[in-house]
Amino acid sequence: MKNPLLSLLRNARALVGRNLAILRAWKKNRVVRRAQVNPKNALFEDRKNEIAEFYGVSTEKIEAVHRGPKKHEIFSDVETDSSLFAAYRERTMIATVSHMLSYTRFDDALCLKAITDRAFPGRPRNTLRVLDYGCSIADFGLIFALGGYFVVLSDIEHGNLNLGTWRFDRRGLPYEAIPVTLETAYPRFENIDVAIAGEVLEHVRDPLTATRHLFEGLNSGGFLWVSRYPMVE
């Protein structure tokens, strides 16, 4: 015979779980809406309009680029940083359109921001410096900036960095930009509290140097977050 009290408790727990899930989804949606240019639009419609505005082309052109052939983004056969830079700059539009319309990094960014919020109790957020390394479209940076953190953006000069900084300018958000150039292919950083390398290290020729410079740039108590590296087939 079933215990009615146990059944009631199970149902109550399930109800609480569903309500918590709804609350988390509502909070996430509220933050993501703040990251949009026009929160009245659906997310990917808004991102399509935004990148069309950046490139000064029609949304139909952006859709055509998105539907077109995709080039592999990991140039493992290049022998010099110069060749690597040229390969990425050649396909900047294809890559950024893909990043804007295929997916977002908001889930990872929100999770990481929640951890960061708890990692520095008592510190005003605008005194904490968050590095978005290999920022590209700067989804990570946007979520942290909207949460009150000061964001440092770093990517290839005259390439992906242009879109990341433009998105911040478009929203009136403060930032510091550190370009990756042929002279400083692996720039050094300083006074960083959180360094984020989301889906980046698999794209550089010398990930050990890149990682060392990220780690050396951290303040005491800071941390480095890396995703999708090393990649395992």
Side-chain angles (χ1 to χ4, degrees):
M1 182 177 179
K2 291 184 178 180
N3 187 320
L5 181 58
L6 286 177
S7 297
L8 180 62
L9 288 174
R10 289 193 188 98
N11 291 337
R13 185 171 63 179
L15 181 60
V16 169
R18 285 195 295 271
N19 287 339
L20 286 175
I22 292 171
L23 179 61
R24 284 193 293 268
W26 177 80
K27 287 182 176 179
K28 171 190 170 183
N29 184 64
R30 185 178 61 173
V31 174
V32 170
R33 290 288 183 186
R34 289 182 61 209
Q36 295 181 210
V37 173
N38 185 351
K40 294 181 179 180
N41 289 335
L43 176 59
F44 284 99
E45 186 71 18
D46 187 74
R47 287 165 77 88
K48 179 174 66 176
N49 292 340
E50 183 176 5
I51 197 160
E53 180 183 347
F54 172 73
Y55 282 112
V57 300
S58 67
T59 55
E60 289 77 11
K61 169 67 174 177
I62 294 299
E63 289 173 351
V65 171
H66 186 50
R67 290 194 303 266
K70 305 294 191 297
K71 297 180 182 178
H72 201 266
E73 293 186 35
I74 302 174
F75 301 103
S76 57
D77 57 342
V78 298
E79 297 181 355
T80 66
D81 287 325
S82 178
S83 299
L84 183 67
F85 278 38
Y88 278 116
R89 283 174 176 153
E90 179 185 357
R91 66 179 309 282
T92 294
M93 186 176 188
I94 295 173
T96 50
V97 168
S98 177
H99 293 165
M100 286 287 279
L101 300 187
S102 297
Y103 62 96
T104 81
R105 293 171 174 170
F106 289 150
D107 285 340
D108 284 344
L110 288 166
C111 180
L112 186 57
K113 179 184 169 297
I115 295 171
T116 306
D117 289 344
R118 293 172 174 80
F120 299 95
R123 283 276 303 274
R125 291 181 182 175
N126 61 358
T127 68
L128 291 163
R129 287 166 55 86
V130 176
L131 169 64
D132 190 351
Y133 178 66
C135 63
S136 184
I137 62 176
D139 276 350
F140 281 110
L142 283 176
I143 291 298
F144 275 88
L146 290 168
Y149 293 85
F150 184 81
V151 172
V152 180
L153 302 173
S154 185
D155 210 319
I156 294 177
E157 185 179 44
H158 307 309
N160 287 348
L161 182 60
N162 290 7
L163 177 55
T165 56
W166 182 86
R167 295 188 81 196
F168 268 65
D169 290 335
R170 182 72 172 73
R171 292 159 174 78
L173 295 170
Y175 64 90
E176 177 185 345
I178 299 180
V180 174
T181 68
L182 281 178
E183 294 72 28
T184 55
Y186 305 98
R188 293 185 178 275
F189 306 97
E190 58 183 20
N191 196 25
I192 299 298
D193 296 292
V194 180
I196 304 169
E199 302 177 31
V200 174
L201 295 179
E202 66 272 23
H203 298 279
V204 303
R205 291 184 62 250
D206 189 354
L208 291 180
T209 297
T211 303
R212 185 174 72 251
H213 288 183
L214 290 170
F215 187 77
E216 290 173 350
L218 292 175
N219 292 328
S220 177
F223 61 91
L224 167 63
W225 184 84
V226 173
S227 71
R228 291 196 65 195
Y229 190 84
M231 299 182 73
V232 179
E233 294 293 337

